[in-house]
Amino acid sequence: MKSIIIHGGAWNMPEKLDKPHLRGVEAACKVARDALLDGRGSLEAITDALVLLEEDTTFDAGVGSFLNAAGDVELDAGIMDGTTGDYACCGAVSKLRNPILACKRLLEVSPNKLLVCEGMHIFAREQGFTLIDNDDLKIEREIERYEGTKLPVASYFSPSDTVGAVAIDDGGHIVAANTTGGTPGKPSGRVGDSPLVGCGIYAGPHAGAAATGLGEPIIKTVLTKRVYDYYCESNDISRATSAGIRDLAHHGWGGVIALDKHGTPSACHNTTKMPHATWDEKSDKIEKKIGNPRC
Ligand code: ASP
């Protein structure tokens, strides 16, 4: 069964941000649904959806991302294909507008699967992607946040509004992906969990998962691979996401979205909010939620 789940970050976001986040994940879910209904695969559906969110300045992905300690935007993104086990990811890239598209190309054409900084820029340029000025990714809101440095220290280590998705298509191909600007004020060169296989993303023949929240505890938990393994043991995707977040809670804050091989979605988080949207072929309805108190 064709199915999609999209997240827009996990954190204790103020109420005034609820609507734009819900609008964004809903719009991305529609784009992915249309791609799947057009007979395009889950990889295409996911990248279409995430490009839309990279272009939406509501989110900490692509244009409008948080600035790092040096006042620059550095982006991380990753994709994993559950059928082949292939993955492609990049870290700390500063000259790509849509890193998720460059990751898709890396997945398709390169034997090397994780490129960082200048290495990813060189690959992307060789593949015909335009390299941009880092200033093109910066918006006024984030420049002011950076210049004011009014952030309480704790918020430098807070989760943010990263975006990610998991989809399954007619052929049963499950793909998981994330794209992010990382945490606000992060040191240059810091890469979080979002692009990393087993941490921020995991997909296999039975399920797929994408995580969001504070990267370092998610990496420590190896969160998405744990969710996958819990699913394989229990055949219950809700139990699997809950168990994963229970484990994460020993180390920190975040959330995870997942789909099983039947297209059943699940979302769980230990932050107060995690905007997310789902669609499946059977119900043909897009449902969106900001919190999931029962997970
Ligand atoms: N996990 C991301 C990071 O630590 C942030 C997020 O998901 O909001 O870079």
Side-chain angles (χ1 to χ4, degrees), residues 7 22 103 108 142 157 239 245 250:
H7 77 73
L22 285 170
C103 287
E108 291 163 344
E142 296 307 325
F157 302 98
R239 280 176 73 167
I245 294 301
H250 294 296

Side-chain angles (χ1 to χ4, degrees), residues 88 90 96 98-107 120 123-124 129:
C90 65
L96 291 173
N98 298 114
I100 199 70
L101 290 180
C103 287
K104 178 169 178 278
R105 187 68 61 81
L106 193 64
L107 184 76
M120 187 59 168
F123 166 80
F129 289 86

Side-chain angles (χ1 to χ4, degrees), residues 7-11 60 66 76 158-163 178-184 186 190-195 200 211-219 254-255:
H7 77 73
W11 57 302
D60 176 36
F66 293 128
D76 306 334
S158 295
S160 62
D161 33 17
T162 291
V163 296
N178 272 325
T179 175
T180 185
T183 48
K186 64 186 180 180
R190 179 261 188 195
V191 177
D193 63 295
S194 307
T212 177
L214 189 53
E216 286 72 9
I218 293 174
I219 295 171

Side-chain angles (χ1 to χ4, degrees), residues 158-244:
S158 295
S160 62
D161 33 17
T162 291
V163 296
V166 187
I168 181 166
D169 61 24
D170 266 343
H173 302 300
I174 302 174
V175 175
N178 272 325
T179 175
T180 185
T183 48
K186 64 186 180 180
S188 299
R190 179 261 188 195
V191 177
D193 63 295
S194 307
L196 302 180
V197 167
C199 303
I201 49 170
Y202 195 80
H206 303 294
T212 177
L214 189 53
E216 286 72 9
I218 293 174
I219 295 171
K220 207 165 161 182
T221 309
V222 198
L223 180 57
T224 52
K225 178 62 163 65
R226 262 183 204 242
V227 168
Y228 186 84
D229 290 345
Y230 281 133
Y231 175 72
C232 291
E233 280 162 30
S234 66
N235 271 316
D236 182 331
I237 198 67
S238 298
R239 280 176 73 167
T241 54
S242 303

